[in-house]
Amino acid sequence: MHPRRYETFIMLAPNLEAEVMETFKNKVDGIMASEGGQLVKFEDWGRRLLSDPVKKELYGHYLLYDFQGSPGLAAELERNLKIDEKVFKYLTLVLEKKFTDEDLVKAKEALMAEAARREAEKARAAQVDQEAADEDDGDQVDGDDDAAEDDDEE
């Protein structure tokens, strides 16, 4: 059977300590490694406000795993998430039913290209902001000179 591409979204208790959070992430990484899965992308979205309270909590800590693996990996991951008390909710989606190693490399390259594009866009925006700030500083200096000249004429 061909490996598939999955995305698992996990909502954890919001008040977990950093050490407990790292232990949980290492546990998920260990499950993936033991089942032969490979991580495509991981995002830690952090603590966010929930639309509805879950277990009397108004906030949740969100994690997103995008990975390649067998259906057995997805089942084992869900089994572990189901019995973990720190997990409020989880959802696993099949993104692609046939996801080869070549597709994995292409996906990682696309993610790296997107990250590079975003960084370049941020740098360009920061440069434009800096130039605008420099122009504003220049306008204020020029405006002060005009005011001083007006005072001299009187």
Side-chain angles (χ1 to χ4, degrees):
M1 179 175 278
H2 296 289
R4 297 178 177 180
R5 183 175 182 184
Y6 293 96
E7 186 174 73
T8 298
F9 187 73
I10 304 169
M11 183 189 346
L12 300 169
N15 52 359
L16 297 178
E17 296 175 7
E19 183 178 305
V20 175
M21 186 67 68
E22 282 303 313
T23 303
F24 178 81
K25 290 177 189 176
N26 290 337
K27 177 183 174 182
V28 172
D29 291 341
I31 293 168
M32 285 190 197
S34 70
E35 295 290 326
Q38 292 189 349
L39 194 63
V40 176
K41 176 177 67 171
F42 168 75
E43 293 180 11
D44 185 344
W45 290 6
R47 186 172 183 252
R48 298 196 177 209
L49 183 65
L50 304 175
S51 59
D52 295 315
V54 175
K55 295 184 181 180
K56 297 183 181 180
E57 292 285 348
L58 297 175
Y59 290 87
H61 192 101
Y62 292 94
L63 302 175
L64 178 70
Y65 287 89
D66 183 348
F67 60 96
Q68 173 196 35
S70 67
L73 167 60
E76 179 64 17
L77 180 61
E78 286 189 347
R79 186 186 72 78
N80 279 276
L81 294 175
K82 192 179 294 185
I83 60 177
D84 196 328
E85 293 178 3
K86 296 179 285 294
V87 177
F88 283 176
K89 294 185 178 195
Y90 62 90
L91 176 67
T92 300
L93 301 173
V94 177
L95 298 180
E96 293 181 43
K97 288 194 175 191
K98 185 177 178 184
F99 194 69
T100 63
D101 289 337
E102 293 171 2
D103 295 332
L104 176 67
V105 170
K106 288 178 186 176
K108 286 186 176 185
E109 287 174 356
L111 288 171
M112 291 178 74
E114 177 66 19
R117 186 191 63 78
R118 285 184 183 168
E119 286 298 318
E121 196 172 281
K122 265 188 205 176
R124 197 174 321 117
Q127 183 180 7
V128 167
D129 290 345
Q130 183 63 36
E131 289 173 359
D134 290 346
E135 286 179 13
D136 288 345
D137 291 343
D139 290 345
Q140 289 176 356
V141 171
D142 292 341
D144 292 342
D145 289 345
D146 292 341
E149 289 175 12
D150 290 341
D151 289 341
D152 291 341
E153 290 175 7
E154 292 176 9

